[in-house]
Every structure is written in C-alpha cells, then in structure tokens.
Amino acid sequence: MNKMEGTSLDLEKLNIEKIKELFPNVVTEGKVDFDKLRIILGDQIDDRVEKYQFTWNGKSDTIKLAQSPSTGTLIPSKEDSKNWDTTGNLYIEGDNLEVLKQLQKTYYGKVKMIYIDPPYNTGGDFVYKDDFKDNIKNYKEQTQQTSRANPETNGRYHTDWLNMMYSRLMLAKNLLAKDGVIFVSIDDNEVVNLKKVMEEIFGENNFIDIFSWKKTETPANLSKYTKKAVEYILAFKKDDKLNQLTGLKKYSKSSNGLMNQTNSFHKLVFPANYIDTGLANGIIAKGSYGTQNYEINLLKDTSVYNGVFTEEVILEGRFKWSQDYLNKQVAEGVKISIRTEALSPSYEKNEYSAEKPWNIIDKTFGVSTNESASVNLNKLLGGTFFDYPKPVSLIEYLVKTISEADYIMDFFSGSATTAHAVMKLNAEDGGNRKFIMVQLPELTDESSDAYKAGYKNLCEIGKERIRRAGEQIKQELIEKKNKAGLLDDNIIDPETFDNGFKVFKLDSTNINPWDGTIKLDETTIFSQTEVIKEDRSNLDVLYEIMLKYGVFDKPAKEIRVNTKTMYSVADGYLIVCLDNHITLEDVKEIGKLKPRNVIFKESGFANDNDKINATYTLEKLGVEEIK
C-alpha cells in the first residue's frame, strides 16, 4: 500500500518530464544532462555574456519559489459557504501564490479565462512579500497586519512588485487552457514592466493587445501634464489554439455608407416603401448619379412620397453588400436611407453583430466607469466599504470575448466583481461558467467604515457581495419568469441557477508530519502514531486528499459502507476511508462499489498484516490504486 504525496504538484519534476518527452536521451535518473542538450540544440544556444534580457534582484529565487511544491492545504468552511452541496463556484481565502500551487493538480490546463486586478504599485497599496523558507507561516503572520505599503522610498520598489507578480503569473499560465486568455488590469506605474514580464512568461508571440479602458468621465486634475482618464488591460493567450477574441457587440446608433471603391460594380434591388429619404416628393428618373468618387446608376424610375421611396430602387455601383446580404438586413429591420440626390444609400444600426474587439473600451461598448461601479457596489452593500471597484460591465465585456468557458479565475479578487459578472452572464445566456476567486484576507483599517460595519478583512466584503449579488440576480430571474409565464424557456430557471459558492481557507496540512527529533517515550510515541491533527475534521482531510489527488473539482458525498463512514468522490471514482478499525469485510464491501482508487488512514488498520490483506483483496477486485 503506497503513501500519498504530501505536497502540491512538483512543477520542476513536471518540466523535466516535458524535456524527457522531447529529448529522452538527455534525462538520466531524473537529471537533465545540459551538455547533451546543448549538442542537440546546436547553434540555437545563446551563451553570450551580453544579451537582451530583463532581470532584477531576486528573479531567480522567485522562479524557484513558484516551482517549489506547497505543503499547505485548503480547509473547507461550510458555515461560510452558500449552497455547498450544489454549487460549482469557489471562494478561497489565502496567499494566492500558495493557493495557485494547491490548484495545479486539479485545474492544470482547465481555466478558460483569468482576470486579475493586482496592486498597481502606486506606493500606498498592499504588496505581499513572499517568504522563501516557509510561506504558510509567513502568510499567517502577514495577514494579521493591516495594509503593508510599498512606498517609492523603498530601495526595492519595483523589485518587490516584480517578484510578487512573476511567480504568480508563472503558475497562472499552467492553469490556463490551451485556448485560454489572461487579462491583467494595470496603470502606467508598472505597465511597461508588466508587459515585459508577461512576454517572458507567455511568449511575445502570444501577446494579444493592451486595452485602454476609460475608467472615468471626470478625470482628476492631479497629474502634472495630462488628465488621466484610462487604465490598461494587458491580454495574452496561452498558445496558438486561440484563433481570435469573439462575442463582442457594439451598442451605439451609427450611420454607415454602403459604398466601397474596391468592391466590384454590381446591382442591388431595394424594396418599395422601405428606404427613407430627405428628397422632395416626385419621380426620380433613371440615369447616372453618384459623386466624383462613387459612380451610381439608377436603372429604373422610382418615386418619393412623404420621405419614403414608394417604389423599388434599383441601383448599380460598388457596394459593400451582396443582394442576399441586403435581403437579410431588410428582413432584420435594419434602417436604410438615401438622403441626397447622389442616391448613395447608407444603413443605421443600434446593435452590431459580434466582431473583433476594439482596443478601446468605454460606454460605446456598454462598459461603465469606476464612479458607476462605486455607486452600484455601495448600493448593493449599503455603504462605502471598498475603494475603486471595477465595474461588473467591464468583466462581462471581457468574458464575452471568450467562447464557451467552464472556469473563470480571479486570484486578486478584491470586492469579487468577477464573481458578480460571471453570475450575471450565466443568468442572461444560460451559461455554465464557474468562478474561482482567491483573495488575501487583508485586514481592514479599524477606522474605516468597512471595519465598523463588521467587515474585518477584504474577504468578508467579497463574500457578502457575492451573496447579495446572487440573491439579487435570482430575484430578477423570478420576476422575469413570473412576468413571462412558465412556458417561456428563454428565461433561466431560478431554481437551478447557481448563485452559491464553496469557501476554503489556506492553512497548514491536516496531517501530522513525522518528527524524527522527538525522543520517544510512553507519552510521545502515541502523538507520533496519530495521523490527523487534533483540531482537524475528516472533511478537512477529505478535501486535502482531493487536492493532492487532482479531483478537487469533483462532487464528494458521505456514504455508509458496512457501518463505516466513508466518502465517494466523482461518483465512486475515488473512495476515501478515514474510519478506524477497518476489517477485511469492510474492504470487501468497498471493492463491491468498483472504485478505481481507494485511500485509507494508515492508523485505521490494526496492523501491517491487515493492510497487506486489504491491498491484495482490493487489487483482486479490480481496484487500480490503493494508498
């Protein structure tokens, strides 16, 4: 019976396996022979002393830190959650570096979109300082403090910020699906450094664009040279599996001419009583019209009465549209006009079909500002508890650029705008997107309105925002359903709509490590044989096992097997037995469930002989792995 690994995914080992797949002859006994690798790569190795590179103090250490496994775990908090048994959404409290490590086994290559709004490094915001020895201990210490600023007077002003961002972006890339996209909000303090870092991690060829989001309609007059009205959103894709961003619509009334000088000369027939005009009443004779740049021929007499062409209008010219496309637009009610004697037609739309996104994001595309976001959040929470939240419409806009998405992650969750946007979109289009929010439980200032209202840290604000927004969206669905009637299938069923979330909190492992420094006697020997820490529950241990096993996103339920309490994960794919006094009859009953994997608590067996018999019995019954 094998022991379970006690850490998160070993990324260094995984990288060596990738090299081994490409060049099996350069890996011997788990080590890479770089001399052989250099011979294989030949002249492609850059060994110049002077070369183009982006570096800073601590960069090598932060790369090592990102790849070092985590010994921590995520503790379930059912009492803090909503709809625990049915929801697919996650809210995780903890240092996002350690949390990202914990999520590697389960979500590696599964997340379709990541959006983050990290500290902008403006001098007064919180910049978390990693510890290269024990980050779990460091996390507990730092989260007992109020906001730790990174002032410009700090000699490592950019360095600390870069070290924080680099490791987290490395791990985020692993989680992205092959056709996944990451969006990162930033302002001009670190936009240049952020782009360089992301080009290094994701590859220059995977850069999509830098979007400029109009954050305010009333920019402050504080800047020396300009009024700052925009912030930036850097977008990178995982690899070439993503063809383009899609799903965007422009909401703005606009008139567009139908002529295009490079198109072929062809005929279009416009129906009677459809085209409006500013021309006077009367007959318009066939003949040559248009302008110096655009030749337009009217092939048949037509007439105007009360601002409408009352007969067919048959024109010949260099048009953008074909006859079939014109017919389709007419069927959809697109407004077409001929305003002048040149007889040049134009069309007007209030809503456009999905197109590639512009790299400017503003109200033209239905996206609001920081001021609007603050008003809406304050109204939802009943007070001013969070500064400068992003508008829900901004995150919705970004999510819509991505085709069908299972998981959407935000590991600088803040006020949980991303969770709000995901629920809102699911309610609108029936999507099954699931959010994964991660937030450091940074303490609120004791003099703040948030603290006085009972929100002791930022996570409390985020969770309450999700609860209230979820209920608000569900109530809107109920009202729509009641108004439209039960037979309207276009409205999402409020009863099946997922507005819940499971809460987990980062902590040290549930398992007691063996301490070889302890001198064993009658008292201490028993403490060394108990596997699970005294203050931890079986549910805590179950989810640590699911994390380490890579099935954290699967459903788990408690079952009874031969009077023993056990857990079935992923509909019986994995059986976890944490009970004591396991007998051979218990083991046989487990085998009847036909699981693929079974995990026991080692101290649950009376002796080694019982463990050996359990392994033999389960293997004989077809179980692939017993730990």
Side-chain angles (χ1 to χ4, degrees):
M1 189 178 293
N2 297 320
K3 299 276 182 76
M4 272 196 67
E5 292 182 10
T7 62
S8 61
L9 186 64
D10 188 335
L11 295 174
E12 287 185 351
K13 185 178 178 181
L14 183 66
N15 289 335
I16 291 172
E17 289 298 320
K18 291 178 180 177
I19 293 174
K20 190 175 180 180
E21 285 180 21
L22 294 172
F23 310 110
N25 57 326
V26 305
V27 180
T28 305
E29 296 181 344
K31 302 292 184 181
V32 177
D33 187 333
F34 278 98
D35 290 332
K36 284 185 180 179
L37 186 59
R38 292 172 78 90
I39 293 171
I40 290 172
L41 297 178
D43 294 336
Q44 303 304 313
I45 295 286
D46 187 355
D47 56 3
R48 296 170 298 170
V49 176
E50 293 183 338
K51 51 191 169 186
Y52 178 77
Q53 57 184 326
F54 179 48
T55 190
W56 60 89
N57 185 33
K59 182 178 181 181
S60 297
D61 287 336
T62 202
I63 292 172
K64 291 177 183 177
L65 179 63
Q67 297 189 124
S68 64
S70 172
T71 57
T73 191
L74 301 178
I75 302 294
S77 180
K78 289 186 75 171
E79 67 281 0
D80 218 12
S81 305
K82 180 179 179 180
N83 303 336
W84 176 274
D85 293 325
T86 58
T87 186
N89 301 316
L90 296 180
Y91 189 97
I92 304 172
E93 298 183 28
D95 163 26
N96 49 20
L97 178 65
E98 292 300 305
V99 173
L100 288 169
K101 289 180 182 181
Q102 293 294 331
L103 299 180
Q104 293 289 312
K105 279 190 177 179
T106 297
Y107 296 98
Y108 195 98
K110 290 183 179 179
V111 178
K112 193 64 171 289
M113 173 182 154
I114 296 174
Y115 169 79
I116 56 173
D117 184 15
Y120 286 1
N121 209 18
T122 57
D125 45 10
F126 186 93
V127 175
Y128 185 87
K129 294 176 177 60
D130 299 313
D131 185 275
F132 294 91
K133 295 178 181 177
D134 188 344
N135 217 29
I136 297 293
K137 182 181 178 182
N138 178 52
Y139 156 70
K140 289 185 175 182
E141 290 175 354
Q142 287 208 42
T143 48
Q144 295 308 308
Q145 305 169 27
T146 52
S147 180
R148 175 178 292 183
N150 191 33
E152 291 188 39
T153 52
N154 175 11
R156 293 166 57 91
Y157 175 63
H158 291 293
T159 295
D160 286 342
W161 188 87
L162 286 166
N163 283 330
M164 180 193 72
M165 292 299 296
Y166 199 96
S167 53
R168 288 154 177 80
L169 289 170
M170 279 183 65
L171 295 170
K173 181 187 177 184
N174 292 338
L175 298 179
L176 273 183
K178 288 184 177 180
D179 58 347
V181 177
I182 181 169
F183 297 97
V184 183
S185 281
I186 201 70
D187 71 1
D188 50 7
N189 284 284
E190 295 288 359
V191 65
V192 174
N193 287 334
L194 178 63
K195 186 171 187 287
K196 288 178 181 177
V197 163
M198 295 188 74
E199 283 178 339
E200 191 169 304
I201 294 172
F202 293 90
E204 291 182 17
N205 58 318
N206 289 321
F207 171 66
I208 294 175
D209 212 327
I210 299 179
F211 293 90
S212 295
W213 163 58
K214 190 174 182 181
K215 67 176 182 177
T216 179
E217 295 288 347
T218 55
N221 204 25
L222 300 176
S223 178
K224 184 175 181 181
Y225 299 109
T226 62
K227 288 190 174 185
K228 297 182 181 299
V230 300
E231 286 182 3
Y232 308 105
I233 302 171
L234 274 67
F236 278 77
K237 56 191 173 78
K238 176 71 172 281
D239 61 27
D240 291 336
K241 292 292 182 182
L242 180 78
N243 293 321
Q244 66 178 47
L245 299 181
T246 58
L248 295 177
K249 291 184 177 182
K250 180 181 176 184
Y251 296 91
S252 170
K253 185 174 287 189
S254 177
S255 293
N256 303 269
L258 270 184
M259 312 303 297
N260 190 335
Q261 190 71 346
T262 61
N263 283 27
S264 63
F265 207 75
H266 61 277
K267 181 177 73 172
L268 285 181
V269 179
F270 298 83
N273 298 308
Y274 193 82
I275 302 177
D276 66 6
T277 182
L279 298 176
N281 293 346
I283 302 296
I284 300 178
K286 68 178 182 179
S288 180
Y289 293 85
T291 65
Q292 185 176 354
N293 295 323
Y294 292 106
E295 180 184 354
I296 299 174
N297 295 323
L298 179 63
L299 301 184
K300 175 187 173 184
D301 292 352
T302 187
S303 63
V304 172
Y305 182 73
N306 285 346
V308 176
F309 281 87
T310 56
E311 298 181 34
E312 277 187 339
V313 178
I314 305 175
L315 298 176
E316 193 175 45
R318 297 184 183 278
F319 298 113
K320 296 177 182 178
W321 291 357
S322 66
Q323 186 65 50
D324 287 343
Y325 191 76
L326 169 62
N327 295 342
K328 180 181 177 182
Q329 296 305 300
V330 169
E332 292 178 0
V334 173
K335 185 178 178 182
I336 298 175
S337 303
I338 293 178
R339 311 306 301 176
T340 68
E341 293 179 352
L343 299 190
S344 178
S346 63
Y347 65 98
E348 187 177 280
K349 281 190 172 184
N350 292 323
E351 180 181 327
Y352 288 73
S353 300
E355 60 179 18
K356 291 180 182 178
W358 292 34
N359 62 3
I360 296 175
I361 304 175
D362 59 17
K363 64 182 180 182
T364 306
F365 301 95
V367 176
S368 59
T369 61
N370 262 337
E371 293 98 337
S372 175
S374 294
V375 169
N376 290 334
L377 182 58
N378 295 347
K379 184 178 179 181
L380 181 68
L381 294 178
T384 305
F385 306 132
F386 197 92
D387 296 329
Y388 308 115
K390 291 294 185 291
V392 173
S393 55
L394 174 63
I395 312 303
E396 284 187 277
Y397 179 88
L398 296 176
V399 173
K400 287 178 181 178
T401 67
I402 308 301
S403 57
E404 288 299 316
D406 288 332
Y407 297 109
I408 295 173
M409 173 179 274
D410 183 344
F411 54 87
F412 285 96
S413 173
S415 68
T417 302
T418 301
H420 191 161
V422 168
M423 291 189 296
K424 194 166 181 290
L425 275 177
N426 284 344
E428 290 172 5
D429 62 15
N432 192 33
R433 307 171 188 89
K434 305 174 187 69
F435 63 73
I436 304 173
M437 301 292 103
V438 184
Q439 176 58 41
L440 191 75
E442 180 188 339
L443 299 181
T444 53
D445 191 288
E446 292 187 10
S447 63
S448 67
D449 290 342
Y451 187 90
K452 294 172 183 175
Y455 300 113
K456 306 306 181 188
N457 61 59
L458 294 189
C459 291
E460 298 304 318
I461 298 173
K463 289 180 292 186
E464 184 62 19
R465 195 254 181 90
I466 300 173
R467 292 187 192 101
R468 295 193 184 196
E471 284 304 308
Q472 184 182 75
I473 295 167
K474 184 175 180 179
Q475 188 58 41
E476 289 170 356
L477 286 174
I478 292 172
E479 291 172 3
K480 284 182 182 178
K481 200 76 173 176
N482 291 339
K483 187 175 181 179
L486 297 177
L487 298 179
D488 191 340
D489 295 329
N490 293 321
I491 299 175
I492 310 306
D493 186 354
E495 298 306 315
T496 59
F497 170 64
D498 186 2
N499 65 350
F501 56 100
K502 291 181 179 178
V503 175
F504 290 86
K505 300 183 179 183
L506 178 68
D507 211 324
S508 56
T509 178
N510 298 288
I511 310 304
N512 274 319
W514 176 264
D515 190 346
T517 64
I518 295 178
K519 184 179 179 180
L520 297 180
D521 55 29
E522 291 179 352
T523 304
T524 58
I525 192 168
F526 294 105
S527 69
Q528 291 297 295
T529 58
E530 182 51 52
V531 178
I532 300 172
K533 293 178 179 177
E534 287 185 5
D535 60 341
R536 304 296 171 88
S537 69
N538 281 354
L539 192 67
D540 296 339
V541 179
L542 169 69
Y543 277 96
E544 179 164 1
I545 291 171
M546 291 170 67
L547 266 177
K548 303 297 191 288
Y549 222 80
V551 291
F552 193 66
D553 60 338
K554 305 302 180 189
K557 63 180 180 180
E558 186 178 297
I559 59 174
R560 297 288 290 177
V561 178
N562 204 30
T563 74
K564 300 291 194 304
T565 299
M566 303 185 191
Y567 298 94
S568 172
V569 180
D571 298 322
Y573 167 85
L574 169 67
I575 299 294
V576 178
C577 176
L578 301 175
D579 246 346
N580 295 317
H581 312 300
I582 302 302
T583 66
L584 188 59
E585 289 305 313
D586 298 332
V587 172
K588 288 178 180 178
E589 290 299 314
I590 292 172
K592 290 179 183 179
L593 299 175
K594 302 295 182 183
R596 185 174 174 181
N597 310 279
V598 180
I599 295 176
F600 294 99
K601 183 173 70 170
E602 188 165 8
S603 58
F605 293 95
N607 51 57
D608 287 345
N609 192 52
D610 284 357
K611 279 192 288 185
I612 293 169
N613 287 334
T615 302
Y616 175 77
T617 300
L618 289 173
E619 286 178 345
K620 195 173 180 181
L621 291 171
V623 178
E624 293 183 17
E625 189 171 69
I626 304 102
K627 290 191 176 183

